[in-house]
């Protein structure tokens, strides 16, 4: 857009002054005109943002609402199903044909017994119509015609700031740097920076908002937005970076919390400021598209706002809001650009001879370790979708995927999925979360490649990621009480147990049913009662 406008201005300048100026003078004039236009446009943005912030500050002066604390919600606690080893079931045999009761005869002498010709005897045991002969092949045991289905929505775009922010270069600034999961990030603050929160009442906090709306803090807002873009941070990652930077600059205090609310508001997020008189403390409350487990929340304007750091029984929430603000998303749509710290290589070998080695980014593992567990639309079973839809790091795809693809080359779609299924079934060691972690925990696919143990949820999530990336087939998670498997939508006809949804067959693939091929359901699992989670 910028270059197109510049070209138009240059052409206009050439047409108007061709006889009086050189071409270099035309370009100089066009750039000056464009710079003037850009400055005027930015001035409009700045004026708009100042107006929004002034209205926000006025709203802060109103009495803040006392809101009752809501207890944190707990994840599903179920006794996990033990892994089973697949044993091939005997093929169905032809049913014996009814026979008439033989006549009672006197036993003849040995030398007078007659033996019927073998061909005649064989013909007598066969039905007249050979089409009725049972086929010795596996048949689907269960077809769920109307399954319970959850469809996970497409991630929403990253929130847009109130208005574009361009700081004045001549204003002095101080750089504050933090190591954000192994990645150095530097953000500018005014120099000097006199901002401080000392009084917790509506008028004082409104005055502080006007102070932050001064142009000298544009450098901080602009640098934060640039960091979000350059690091490709998800919403939770951006929230964590804002906290890290402000606490490094101001300390873990009310001033830092106030600045967090300001920066997130300017960045387009639906957040609220709150204070507790009993604790003499400010709180950052964040609205989320997901319901977050294990985190206290407060209802405001009919929506949940989560207390990121602590809680209070006398929480007063500021009702101020900005137009077009967006709630936090907990879906990670793209890989975040964290500096790489490679882990030692790990060997993962399947029973079918698929041998691989893999190394992951420890910085990404540390980030996932702090990621909140959450669910959508009041349905706790959707909690696994955010994990399953998170892409694997490019470095893993560049090293692990070629090893897997070499084994899949030349195979049919079903055979390729079967190889991946067996690799996940047999290359990883199963263990219960409560034994390893002291409670239930869900892994991103990258974590399953890193940690020495995993359970059914982790295997299903990794399997779904690999099949989508390497085979290109659609995959759903398949939830049974106490167990999570997967189901694949094949392009070709594939025999086996399946779930029918929108006239599409999702064939059961269970990464915890050790050695089971595509299309086999673990014993004890009822596909008629299973829930299909479409990724």
């Amino acid at each position: 857009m910028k270059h197109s406008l510049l070209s138009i201005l240059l052409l206009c300048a050439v047409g108007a002054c061709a006889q009086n100026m050189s071409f270099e003078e035309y370009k100089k004039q066009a750039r000056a005109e464009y710079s003037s236009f850009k400055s005027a446009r930015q001035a409009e943005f700045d004026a708009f943002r100042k107006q929004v912030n002034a209205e926000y500050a006025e709203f802060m002066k109103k009495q803040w609402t006392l809101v009752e604390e809501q207890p944190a919600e707990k994840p599903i606690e179920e006794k996990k199903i033990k892994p089973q080893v697949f044993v091939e079931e005997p093929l169905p045999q032809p049913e014996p044909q009814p026979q008439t009761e033989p006549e009672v005869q006197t036993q003849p002498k040995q030398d007078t017994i007659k033996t019927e010709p073998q061909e005649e005897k064989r013909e007598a045991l066969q039905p007249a119509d050979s089409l009725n002969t049972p086929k010795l092949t596996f048949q689907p045991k269960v077809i769920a015609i109307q399954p319970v289905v959850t469809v996970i929505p497409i991630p929403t775009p990253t929130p847009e700031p109130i208005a574009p922010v361009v700081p004045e270069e001549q204003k002095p600034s101080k750089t504050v740097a933090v190591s954000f999961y192994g990645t150095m990030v530097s953000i500018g603050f005014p120099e000097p920076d006199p901002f401080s929160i000392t009084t917790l009442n509506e008028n004082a906090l409104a005055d502080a908002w006007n102070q932050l709306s001064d142009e000298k803090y544009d450098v901080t807002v602009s640098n934060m937005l640039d960091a979000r873009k350059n690091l490709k941070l998800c919403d939770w990652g951006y929230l964590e970076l804002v906290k890290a930077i402000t606490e490094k600059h101001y300390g873990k205090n009310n001033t830092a919390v106030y600045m967090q609310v300001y920066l997130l508001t300017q960045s387009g997020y639906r957040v609220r400021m709150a204070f507790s008189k009993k604790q003499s403390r400010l709180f950052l409350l964040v609205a989320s598209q997901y319901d977050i487990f294990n985190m206290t929340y407060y209802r405001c304007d009919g929506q949940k706002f989560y207390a990121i750091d602590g809680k209070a029984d006398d929480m007063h929430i500021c009702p101020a809001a900005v137009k077009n603000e967006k709630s936090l998303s907990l879906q990670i749509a793209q890989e975040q650009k964290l500096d790489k710290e490679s882990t030692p290589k790990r060997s993962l070998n399947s029973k079918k001879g698929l041998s691989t080695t893999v190394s992951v980014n420890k910085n990404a593992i540390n980030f996932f370790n702090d990621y909140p567990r959450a669910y959508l639309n009041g349905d706790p079973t959707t909690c696994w979708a955010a994990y399953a839809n998170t892409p694997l790091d490019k470095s893993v795809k560049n090293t692990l995927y070629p090893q897997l693809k070499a084994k899949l080359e030349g195979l049919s779609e079903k055979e390729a999925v079967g190889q991946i299924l067996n690799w996940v079934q047999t290359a990883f060691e199963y263990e219960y979360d409560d034994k390893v972690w002291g409670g239930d925990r869900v892994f991103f696919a990258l974590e399953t490649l890193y940690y020495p143990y995993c359970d059914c949820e982790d295997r299903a999530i990794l399997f779904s990621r690999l099949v989508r990336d390497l085979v290109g087939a659609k995959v759903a998670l398949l939830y049974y009480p106490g167990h999570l498997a997967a189901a694949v939508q094949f392009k070709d006809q594939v025999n086996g147990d399946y779930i029918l949804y929108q006239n599409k067959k999702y064939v059961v693939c269970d990464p915890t049913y050790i050695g089971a091929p595509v299309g086999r359901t673990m014993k004890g699992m009822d596909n008629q009662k299973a829930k299909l989670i479409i990724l």
Side-chain angles (χ1 to χ4, degrees):
M1 181 68 184
K2 174 180 176 180
H3 294 296
S4 299
L5 180 59
L6 182 57
S7 299
I8 293 172
L9 292 173
L10 282 170
L11 290 173
C12 292
V14 169
C17 308
Q19 297 180 352
N20 301 318
M21 297 184 182
S22 67
F23 184 70
E24 289 301 321
E25 289 176 323
Y26 301 154
K27 289 197 296 183
K28 184 177 180 180
Q29 178 177 322
R31 290 193 178 99
E33 292 176 358
Y34 173 73
S35 178
S36 177
F37 167 81
K38 183 178 178 183
S39 298
R41 187 61 173 156
Q42 186 59 49
E44 292 178 8
F45 290 142
D46 292 342
F48 174 74
R49 198 161 68 91
K50 284 182 179 180
Q51 180 182 349
V52 170
N53 283 317
E55 293 172 353
Y56 191 99
E58 281 300 311
F59 213 80
M60 292 178 72
K61 294 178 181 179
K62 298 182 179 180
Q63 185 174 4
W64 293 19
T65 308
L66 177 62
V67 182
E68 184 178 353
E69 171 191 337
Q70 302 295 321
E73 299 176 58
K74 301 297 181 182
I76 300 173
E77 291 292 344
E78 296 177 325
K79 185 177 181 180
K80 298 290 179 64
I81 301 298
K82 291 183 179 180
Q84 297 179 21
V85 176
F86 173 75
V87 177
E88 184 71 49
E89 298 176 356
L91 297 173
Q93 300 297 320
E95 296 182 1
Q97 299 300 309
Q99 298 181 1
T100 58
E101 186 175 348
E103 296 180 1
V104 178
Q105 298 180 354
T106 304
Q107 180 72 22
K109 293 182 180 179
Q110 185 70 26
D111 60 354
T112 61
I113 296 178
K114 294 183 179 181
T115 303
E116 293 181 356
Q118 188 66 27
E119 290 185 0
E120 294 180 8
K121 183 176 181 181
R122 184 164 54 246
E123 183 179 355
L125 291 176
Q126 291 179 341
D129 187 355
S130 62
L131 294 177
N132 293 330
T133 304
K135 296 180 180 180
L136 304 184
T137 57
F138 171 75
Q139 298 296 323
K141 293 183 292 185
V142 177
I143 303 175
I145 302 299
Q146 293 181 335
V148 178
V149 178
T150 295
V151 180
I152 304 303
I154 298 173
T156 58
T158 300
E160 293 290 336
I162 293 175
V165 183
V166 177
E168 294 185 25
E169 297 180 359
Q170 65 270 25
K171 289 191 177 293
S173 64
K174 172 186 177 181
T175 298
V176 177
V178 297
S179 177
F180 181 71
Y181 294 99
T183 304
M184 291 305 301
V185 181
S186 298
I187 303 295
F189 283 82
E191 181 62 35
D193 182 6
F195 182 68
S196 178
I197 298 297
T198 57
T199 305
L200 297 185
N201 63 57
E202 287 84 346
N203 288 331
L205 294 173
D207 291 341
W209 197 268
N210 285 324
Q211 182 182 353
L212 284 183
S213 300
D214 187 275
E215 292 178 356
K216 64 183 178 182
Y217 286 96
D218 285 357
V219 63
T220 309
V221 177
S222 177
N223 286 178
M224 287 301 312
L225 291 170
D226 287 344
R228 181 177 71 174
K229 178 181 178 181
N230 295 335
L231 298 180
K232 297 185 177 180
L233 295 179
C234 64
D235 289 351
W236 184 262
Y238 187 61
L239 170 63
E240 289 284 275
L241 179 59
V242 168
K243 287 178 56 183
I245 286 289
T246 53
E247 290 176 359
K248 174 68 177 296
H249 184 47
Y250 298 110
K252 292 186 177 183
N253 53 36
N254 288 336
T255 304
V257 173
Y258 196 104
M259 180 62 81
Q260 291 163 20
V261 176
Y262 178 76
L263 291 174
L264 291 168
T265 299
Q266 304 306 298
S267 302
Y269 291 94
R270 180 177 286 116
V271 297
R272 297 292 182 267
M273 190 184 302
F275 69 74
S276 164
K277 293 181 179 180
K278 291 181 181 178
Q279 299 184 26
S280 298
R281 180 182 170 191
L282 280 179
F283 291 86
L284 165 65
L285 304 182
V286 177
S288 171
Q289 296 174 24
Y290 280 67
D291 296 288
I292 304 176
F293 288 120
N294 300 320
M295 193 176 291
T296 300
Y297 67 92
Y298 302 82
R299 287 196 176 276
C300 181
D301 298 328
Q303 188 165 3
K304 294 179 180 178
F305 283 85
Y306 289 88
I308 300 300
D309 294 306
K311 57 184 180 179
D313 58 7
D314 66 329
M315 191 75 83
H316 292 75
I317 299 181
C318 174
V322 295
K323 188 177 180 180
N324 298 327
E325 60 185 10
K326 288 186 178 180
S327 299
L328 191 87
S329 172
L330 287 175
Q331 296 189 58
I332 306 176
Q334 59 184 343
E335 177 189 349
Q336 300 179 113
K337 296 300 182 182
L338 301 177
D339 286 350
K340 189 175 180 181
E341 180 187 341
S342 298
T343 61
K345 288 186 177 181
R346 179 187 183 188
S347 296
L348 293 166
N349 307 314
S350 77
K351 296 296 185 182
K352 288 189 175 180
L354 180 49
S355 300
T356 62
T357 58
V358 63
S359 174
V360 303
N361 185 359
K362 189 62 167 58
N363 292 326
I365 294 295
N366 291 338
F367 177 79
F368 289 146
N369 188 55
D370 296 334
Y371 211 77
R373 185 174 173 183
Y375 64 95
L376 278 169
N377 304 323
D379 181 359
T381 63
T382 61
C383 67
W384 298 294
Y387 296 84
N389 285 334
T390 298
L392 277 169
D393 290 1
K394 186 177 180 180
S395 61
V396 172
K397 292 181 179 180
N398 288 341
T399 54
L400 176 63
Y401 280 16
Q403 301 174 63
L404 295 174
K405 286 179 179 178
K407 189 68 175 182
L408 306 181
E409 188 175 357
L411 299 181
S412 68
E413 186 182 35
K414 178 185 176 182
E415 291 170 337
V417 171
Q419 279 286 353
I420 296 172
L421 181 62
N422 184 264
W423 185 72
V424 179
Q425 288 171 342
T426 61
F428 298 84
E429 188 169 350
Y430 187 97
E431 190 54 88
Y432 295 105
D433 283 342
D434 55 357
K435 184 176 179 180
V436 178
W437 301 100
D440 191 39
R441 172 167 176 167
V442 184
F443 284 164
F444 291 91
L446 191 74
E447 293 179 290
T448 302
L449 296 173
Y450 172 71
Y451 290 112
Y453 304 105
C454 60
D455 66 4
C456 61
E457 302 166 327
D458 313 322
R459 290 166 178 241
I461 288 167
L462 175 62
F463 172 78
S464 74
R465 183 73 273 161
L466 296 177
V467 170
R468 283 176 288 172
D469 289 351
L470 297 174
V471 181
K474 292 184 178 180
V475 185
L477 298 177
L478 196 55
Y479 169 71
Y480 313 91
H483 184 55
L484 192 69
V488 176
Q489 184 188 130
F490 289 93
K491 298 180 182 68
D492 302 324
Q493 180 66 25
V494 172
N495 194 22
D497 299 342
Y498 65 89
I499 308 292
L500 191 64
Y501 172 62
Q502 292 185 344
N503 295 321
K504 300 291 184 180
K505 288 172 60 175
Y506 285 83
V507 181
V508 175
C509 296
D510 196 333
T512 310
Y513 195 11
I514 311 302
V518 169
R520 298 300 179 95
T521 303
M522 185 186 288
K523 292 181 179 180
M525 301 297 104
D526 186 354
N527 286 332
Q528 292 284 8
K529 297 180 181 179
K531 172 177 285 189
L532 202 64
I533 304 171
I534 307 295
L535 301 174

